[in-house]
Amino acid sequence: MAKYFDVHPDNPQPRSIAQVADSVRSGALIAYPTDSCYALGCRLGSRDGIDRIRSIRHLDNRHHFTLVCQDFAQLGRFVQIDNDVFRAIKASTPGSYTFILPATREVPRMLQHPKKKTVGVRIPDHVVTQALLAELGEPLLSSTLLLPDEEEPMTQGWEIKDRLDHVLDAVVDSGDCGTEPTTVVDFSDGGAEIVRRGAGDTSRFE
């Protein structure tokens, strides 16, 4: 059974956030809210967590996982960014964007695209997610909580708890966070290629 954490959206309870972070450090797979929609998350180096996310979402090895980072300094440890790309991403974060970039050696190979050696990164604009990332002290390995054969993610924590109780370790509920996933921009070849149009404004990348 998944533990259920009812967290205030504007003033998240430190004790609850600490408990969730401890669970992640211990290998838990969680569902948590972001500024676009709910996501699945686990510790960066957790092979078990990756396997469980793949199983829940029916993903193959070409899927780009995302490292959800607290700030730009943390993001810069995991991806290679030149000056032009730096300015474009800096101007768009925090926000509802995922950026695909060449991975550094800090990123486990199992998280990288098998051919391109890239990884997705993002900095969310969400109070609860930011509190969790600050407590955790490292990125969350994440993927949008979109179930197979469903067009939209679930929006309610209680619904996620009810449907995925048997495959998750914890659910963080801070209210409805919408159904629109992030806008995905691929910078791996230098220029900006919009891979998915979502919650983030795409005009600055066109």
Side-chain angles (χ1 to χ4, degrees):
M1 278 182 60
K3 294 179 181 178
Y4 182 78
F5 295 90
D6 187 2
V7 178
H8 194 282
D10 301 314
N11 298 290
Q13 303 91 317
R15 186 167 179 267
S16 295
I17 294 297
Q19 288 177 321
V20 177
D22 284 343
S23 296
V24 172
R25 292 189 195 101
S26 300
L29 177 62
I30 68 170
Y32 69 100
T34 76
D35 53 345
S36 57
C37 53
Y38 272 90
L40 297 168
C42 65
R43 194 170 187 181
L44 178 59
S46 174
R47 181 174 289 278
D48 177 66
I50 292 171
D51 289 344
R52 290 168 68 187
I53 292 172
R54 288 191 195 281
S55 176
I56 291 169
R57 293 203 54 201
H58 295 183
L59 302 173
D60 60 28
N61 65 356
R62 293 170 295 179
H63 176 75
H64 264 114
F65 284 96
T66 300
L67 302 183
V68 178
C69 301
Q70 182 185 359
D71 52 30
F72 210 87
Q74 190 178 76
L75 180 149
R77 288 176 45 208
F78 297 94
V79 289
Q80 302 170 35
I81 311 176
D82 66 26
N83 288 337
D84 290 341
V85 174
F86 174 93
R87 285 190 289 270
I89 295 177
K90 185 76 171 175
S92 307
T93 55
S96 302
Y97 298 92
T98 298
F99 302 102
I100 298 173
L101 290 157
T104 67
R105 292 182 180 179
E106 297 262 355
V107 179
R109 186 170 293 179
M110 60 185 173
L111 299 184
Q112 300 177 28
H113 188 282
K115 292 184 178 179
K116 296 182 178 180
K117 308 303 180 190
T118 51
V119 69
V121 287
R122 69 171 301 222
I123 303 172
D125 186 14
H126 192 279
V127 173
V128 174
T129 315
Q130 282 290 342
L132 177 56
L133 292 168
E135 180 68 28
L136 193 59
E138 62 182 45
L140 269 169
L141 167 62
S142 292
S143 182
T144 302
L145 207 177
L146 181 61
L147 297 181
D149 302 321
E150 295 195 6
E151 294 185 3
E152 291 191 342
M154 286 181 282
T155 62
Q156 302 292 337
W158 62 265
E159 181 188 10
I160 295 167
K161 161 76 169 166
D162 187 51
R163 292 185 59 184
L164 300 179
D165 199 32
H166 60 297
V167 292
L168 295 176
D169 300 306
V171 175
V172 181
D173 187 352
S174 64
D176 190 336
C177 58
T179 61
E180 195 169 20
T182 58
T183 288
V184 179
V185 184
D186 188 342
F187 277 111
S188 59
D189 292 325
E193 179 189 352
I194 299 168
V195 178
R196 179 178 71 195
R197 296 177 188 274
D201 179 16
T202 62
S203 61
R204 68 185 66 192
F205 304 109
E206 294 178 300

